Amino acid sequence: MNVLLVEDETRVADFIRRGLKAEGWLVEHAGDGATALEFLRDRRFDVVVLDLMLPGISGQDVCQRMRARQDHTPILMLTALGAIDDRITGLRIGADDYLPKPFDFEELLARLTALQRRSQAFSVQATNDRLVQDGLCFDRHSLLLTVDGREVALSEKERDLVALFMSHPRKLLSRERILNAVWGAQEDPMTNVIDVYVGRVRKKLGPYGHLIATVRGAGYRFA
Ligand code: CA
């Protein structure tokens, strides 16, 4: 089990980290919201333990930004704010569970284990069906692309291109490979059809258009 612990109080962070490590869990620690969002952009975690009162970006903001970019990693909010209103707000903005401080470690462990068990059934399907990068989400089952949660209309070839890029993050895709995958053998390799379509797709990706980078003389790389 792979946990991201977002907590600015060193004493509390050490306590949780030691306890979870003793249970055989892998724990990555972020001391503020911005660092947490960076970790979440690059890596997959089974669950996030999220403190609310953080320097800079608050825990509520981290939660909302994760859900806005279609990151459905289970979140357990951990905070001194134990009032019922705060708990309701936390759950409403996308947290999966809530534990007020001070808490009992055994309860934290039991809740995290339950969260992970519940999400496991969904995660297999989610990782197979959904390709996610920043604010982009392409669902391979429904073939829908959303940009910051808004659906974007794509032609068939544009859709194939998006699926190809998003399923090969950070890999150099040669022009030949793209042509073969999206257009098949009938297109002339010298054609500029790829550049035309990449230009269109970049526009449709809006603020994330730059994620499709041109690698001069070689092809394209996504993210
Ligand atoms: Ca705090």
Side-chain angles (χ1 to χ4, degrees):
M1 184 103 136
N2 193 5
V3 185
L4 176 62
L5 169 62
V6 192
E7 169 63 75
D8 59 321
E9 279 173 73
T10 318
R11 195 181 49 82
V12 180
D14 284 348
F15 168 68
I16 297 175
R17 183 160 44 182
R18 262 199 316 272
L20 291 179
K21 276 191 172 167
E23 294 295 319
W25 294 23
L26 296 172
V27 183
E28 187 66 74
H29 175 233
D32 61 78
T35 309
L37 286 168
E38 247 170 69
F39 277 135
L40 286 159
R41 196 168 292 134
D42 299 336
R43 290 160 50 184
R44 238 201 105 259
F45 294 92
D46 294 310
V47 64
V48 179
V49 177
L50 182 62
D51 183 35
L52 289 192
M53 308 276 254
L54 295 166
I57 304 169
S58 74
Q60 286 98 332
D61 283 345
V62 170
C63 177
Q64 276 175 315
R65 288 190 202 187
M66 282 174 68
R67 298 315 187 219
R69 66 191 193 197
Q70 306 294 319
D71 181 341
H72 300 291
T73 310
I75 296 173
L76 181 133
M77 279 186 175
L78 200 64
T79 179
L81 303 170
I84 190 105
D85 282 355
D86 296 317
R87 268 183 269 177
I88 292 170
T89 306
L91 296 173
R92 191 175 291 143
I93 62 176
D96 299 275
D97 202 357
Y98 201 107
L99 193 58
K101 292 176 186 170
F103 58 90
D104 179 73
F105 182 76
E106 289 302 314
E107 185 177 1
L108 172 69
L109 190 61
R111 284 177 183 266
L112 288 178
T113 308
L115 266 188
Q116 198 247 353
R117 200 170 42 225
R118 255 184 287 160
S119 77
Q120 241 170 9
F122 298 103
S123 69
V124 174
Q125 194 194 0
T127 48
N128 285 341
D129 282 356
R130 285 216 200 101
L131 302 168
V132 178
Q133 181 70 48
D134 294 5
L136 304 175
C137 178
F138 182 74
D139 190 311
R140 285 193 275 201
H141 184 68
S142 64
L143 301 178
L144 290 177
L145 172 74
T146 56
V147 178
D148 285 334
R150 274 187 300 276
E151 202 180 306
V152 173
L154 296 173
S155 71
E156 190 193 330
K157 295 294 182 205
E158 290 167 353
R159 207 168 57 206
D160 291 349
L161 201 52
V162 166
L164 179 69
F165 279 128
M166 289 188 73
S167 52
H168 296 87
R170 287 174 282 281
K171 292 224 174 68
L172 171 67
L173 295 174
S174 68
R175 302 176 60 82
E176 289 75 16
R177 175 135 182 227
I178 297 170
L179 210 55
N180 287 347
V182 179
W183 283 272
Q186 78 271 25
E187 274 299 333
D188 172 1
M190 300 309 287
T191 174
N192 72 341
V193 68
I194 295 178
D195 312 274
V196 172
Y197 271 84
V198 165
R200 281 187 206 166
V201 168
R202 275 186 183 136
K203 277 205 191 94
K204 293 196 172 180
L205 299 188
Y208 307 103
H210 68 277
L211 288 176
I212 305 178
T214 307
V215 182
R216 214 166 258 284
Y220 292 93
R221 182 182 282 121
F222 177 74

